[in-house]
């Protein structure tokens, strides 16, 4: 049986839980990526097969709330945002959790104010070796409430193995993202490290590998993305690629293919490139594949729910943006009505308001999904908000009836 986590009840959802339970009963191996349909009459709501809290996030949520319940009389701190979801982080604040750093690494509370009696929770992204050592030097327990995702730790282990075998570690990720900063730090203990963002970076790096661009170009082009002492003449002859676990799987593969091709062309087939595709996060992959499958339906628009600084959510938005009108929202409160919506314009990185965003045709087909750090109850709220645009809809109970009737096998 898969492991289950103790998640606060207010993160659960009356609508989505019914759908997920029915789909899991019908397809426990998640082979069928067909989206689920809620037919309300004038509006059809399509729900992605896979979305919402993943294993790593549920593990982090369980540990953080356990820390609160275990220590009502002690000071409680999150090292930084536990996950990239404002509702979750704000609820932790309401329960007394203070945040030591921002998600971008700005210090909010001086570590020197901490004592060994304080509780510090390490976020799901993990943290750097340097921060870990600083907290330890202050007598802070960094192990009991460490919520680092197991798949992030897998990247760290793989990076260490690559480095110990004499390869440079190339991280496909966002250099300033918490997870990439942590992975960069851990990998640097074993190898020279370089972070690249996308296929454009990979093509430019390939030119350096092939000798078409010199070291001066490298240091300017990849400024602040390489580890101390990095020497492109020496350190790009043997490389392996790992990834920030929330990146697009297809993009990581493209980056890997570009660098593999350049390395083989320059140095030959043997011993200069190591395959690291096993660092890809299964949950990220499942959510992205489910998002793609939803595009096979005839859709009028998509609503993607999640924190604006959530990398895995933004990757799903990028899948949809070029295909259908897509609105990246933090929750139902950003939908004023069918005429005005506030949303995050990705990749231009700004919040904007769009007028007359909702189609006037009926039935309207709306795709809804969310990132791995988004509680399902927020998706419930969005569904209810959209359905409320119409007067002559069937009830939510009636729309859920096909899923309520699916027999659920008893636990063995």
């Amino acid at each position: 049986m898969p492991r289950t986590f103790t998640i606060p009840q207010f993160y659960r959802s009356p609508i989505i839980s019914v759908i997920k339970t029915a789909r899991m009963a019908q397809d426990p191996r998640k082979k069928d990526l067909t989206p689920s349909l809620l037919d309300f009459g004038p509006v059809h709501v399509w729900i992605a097969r896979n979305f919402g809290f993943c294993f790593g996030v549920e593990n982090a949520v369980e540990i953080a709330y356990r820390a609160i319940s275990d220590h009502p009389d002690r000071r409680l701190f999150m090292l930084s945002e536990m996950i990239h979801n404002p509702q979750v982080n704000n609820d932790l604040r309401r329960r007394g959790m203070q945040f030591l750093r921002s998600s971008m690494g700005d210090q909010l509370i001086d570590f020197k104010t901490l004592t060994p009696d304080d509780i510090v929770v390490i976020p799901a992204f993990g943290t750097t070796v340097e921060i870990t050592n600083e907290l330890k030097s202050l007598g802070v327990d960094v192990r009991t409430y460490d919520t680092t995702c197991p798949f992030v730790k897998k990247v760290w282990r793989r990076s260490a193995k690559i480095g110990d075998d004499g390869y440079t570690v190339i991280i496909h990720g966002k250099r300033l993202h918490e997870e990439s900063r942590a992975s960069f730090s851990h990998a640097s203990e074993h190898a020279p490290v370089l972070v690249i963002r996308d296929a454009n970076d990979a093509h430019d790096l390939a030119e350096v590998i092939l000798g078409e661009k010199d070291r001066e170009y490298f240091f300017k082009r990849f400024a602040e993305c390489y580890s101390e002492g990095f020497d492109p003449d020496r350190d790009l002859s043997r490389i392996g690629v790992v990834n920030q676990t929330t990146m697009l799987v297809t993009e990581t593969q493209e980056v890997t293919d570009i660098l593999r091709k350049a390395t083989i062309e320059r140095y030959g087939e043997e011993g200069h490139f190591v395959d690291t595709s096993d660092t890809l996060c299964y949950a990220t992959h499942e959510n992205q594949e489910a998002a793609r499958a939803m595009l096979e339906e005839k859709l009028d628009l998509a609503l993607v729910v999640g924190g604006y600084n959530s990398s895995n959510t933004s990757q799903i938005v990028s899948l949809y943006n070029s295909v259908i009108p897509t609105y990246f929202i933090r929750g139902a409160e950003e939908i004023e009505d069918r005429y005005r919506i506030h949303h995050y314009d990705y990749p231009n990185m700004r919040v904007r308001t769009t007028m007359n965003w909702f189609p006037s045709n009926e039935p309207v087909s709306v795709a809804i999904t969310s990132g791995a750090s988004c509680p399902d109850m927020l998706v419930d709220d969005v569904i209810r908000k959209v359905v409320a645009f119409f007067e002559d809809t069937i009830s939510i109970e009636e729309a859920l009836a096909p899923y309520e009737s699916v027999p659920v096998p008893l636990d063995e």
Side-chain angles (χ1 to χ4, degrees):
M1 292 291 294
R3 180 180 170 185
T4 58
F5 296 91
T6 303
I7 303 298
Q9 189 60 38
F10 52 84
Y11 286 148
R12 303 296 185 184
S13 59
I15 298 175
I16 298 304
S17 60
V18 171
I19 296 173
K20 285 188 172 181
T21 298
R23 292 301 301 268
M24 185 59 69
Q26 294 171 321
D27 176 34
R29 296 184 180 274
K30 300 184 180 180
K31 299 295 185 182
D32 180 8
L33 295 179
T34 305
S36 304
L37 173 62
L38 290 176
D39 184 351
F40 292 96
V43 57
H44 294 173
V45 176
W46 293 94
I47 309 295
R49 174 65 176 94
N50 300 307
F51 66 93
F53 280 1
C54 62
F55 179 97
V57 169
E58 289 201 331
N59 177 63
V61 169
E62 180 183 77
I63 292 173
Y65 281 90
R66 186 173 72 238
I68 292 171
S69 64
D70 286 352
H71 303 285
D73 300 323
R74 292 169 70 175
R75 294 200 304 171
L76 299 161
F77 297 91
M78 288 294 309
L79 179 58
S80 63
E81 291 188 359
M82 185 181 68
I83 56 176
H84 285 159
N85 183 271
Q87 290 87 345
V88 174
N89 289 309
N90 287 339
D91 186 70
L92 291 172
R93 288 187 180 95
R94 285 192 295 269
R95 295 168 187 272
M97 193 78 75
Q98 301 180 67
F99 286 62
L100 295 168
R101 294 165 62 87
S102 74
S103 60
M104 294 303 293
D106 300 317
Q107 198 75 30
L108 304 177
I109 300 174
D110 194 329
F111 285 168
K112 292 179 181 178
T113 64
L114 298 174
T115 73
D117 288 333
D118 293 328
I119 303 300
V120 175
V121 181
I122 307 299
F125 314 105
T127 191
T128 66
V129 174
E130 295 79 8
I131 288 175
T132 299
N133 289 340
E134 184 175 358
L135 292 174
K136 284 181 178 179
S137 72
L138 297 168
V140 174
D141 175 8
V142 295
R143 295 179 61 88
T144 303
Y145 298 105
D146 180 359
T147 78
T148 304
C149 175
F151 295 97
V152 173
K153 289 184 176 180
K154 181 179 181 181
V155 172
W156 297 353
R157 291 193 299 270
R158 194 70 172 101
S159 297
K161 179 65 165 60
I162 292 171
D164 292 345
D165 287 344
Y167 291 86
T168 291
V169 175
I170 309 295
I171 300 174
H172 172 222
K174 301 173 182 178
R175 178 64 183 94
L176 297 180
H177 189 281
E178 288 163 285
E179 181 188 324
S180 284
R181 294 202 307 265
S183 294
F184 184 95
S185 174
H186 283 264
S188 295
E189 292 206 312
H190 300 267
V193 185
L194 173 68
V195 181
I196 62 174
R197 174 65 180 83
D198 51 27
N200 290 331
D201 280 5
H203 281 297
D204 291 345
L205 183 60
E207 291 184 320
V208 178
I209 292 172
L210 291 168
E212 297 170 1
K213 294 290 178 66
D214 61 15
R215 59 191 291 118
E216 183 179 352
Y217 168 84
F218 171 85
F219 288 122
K220 183 178 180 180
R221 175 65 177 81
F222 296 101
E224 301 183 0
C225 293
Y226 50 81
S227 57
E228 185 177 354
F230 197 103
D231 184 344
D233 297 329
R234 176 195 66 208
D235 297 330
L236 294 176
S237 63
R238 287 164 56 86
I239 64 174
V241 180
V242 297
N243 73 325
Q244 180 184 316
T245 60
T246 53
M247 302 300 286
L248 274 176
V249 173
T250 53
E251 194 174 74
T252 295
Q253 191 59 58
E254 183 181 10
V255 164
T256 301
D257 291 344
I258 291 167
L259 297 182
R260 178 190 290 110
K261 182 176 183 294
T263 304
I264 290 175
E265 184 175 336
R266 177 72 184 272
Y267 298 107
E269 292 277 353
E270 297 298 326
H272 292 276
F273 190 91
V274 58
D275 183 3
T276 56
S277 60
D278 60 343
T279 65
L280 299 176
C281 170
Y282 85 94
T284 297
H285 180 67
E286 284 183 350
N287 289 354
Q288 291 171 7
E289 290 302 298
R292 284 193 181 89
M294 197 144 59
L295 289 173
E296 297 179 12
E297 306 299 332
K298 187 176 180 180
L299 303 170
D300 293 300
L301 74 154
L303 292 168
V304 182
V305 190
Y308 289 164
N309 58 344
S310 168
S311 178
N312 73 85
T313 310
S314 67
Q315 303 305 333
I316 294 173
V317 172
S318 70
L319 286 174
Y320 285 147
N321 265 339
S322 61
V323 182
I324 55 174
T326 302
Y327 302 95
F328 183 176
I329 60 176
R330 289 179 296 193
E333 69 280 359
E334 297 194 319
I335 304 173
E336 285 198 23
D337 49 39
R338 63 187 303 165
Y339 305 105
R340 184 193 298 262
I341 187 171
H342 309 287
H343 60 103
Y344 192 59
D345 181 2
Y346 181 85
N348 294 317
M349 309 301 181
R350 64 189 181 95
V351 180
R352 59 179 295 187
T353 299
T354 297
M355 305 296 293
N356 299 317
W357 67 283
F358 201 80
S360 58
N361 59 283
E362 292 186 15
V364 180
S365 287
V366 182
I368 299 181
T369 188
S370 73
S373 53
C374 178
D376 285 348
M377 56 92 172
L378 297 183
V379 179
D380 271 26
D381 293 343
V382 170
I383 294 171
R384 294 178 191 277
K385 191 70 169 277
V386 169
V387 173
F389 292 164
F390 301 87
E391 293 182 357
D392 300 322
T393 63
I394 66 172
S395 68
I396 289 175
E397 291 73 21
E398 290 175 290
L400 282 174
Y403 303 99
E404 293 274 20
S405 63
V406 173
V408 178
L410 297 175
D411 293 340
E412 295 181 2

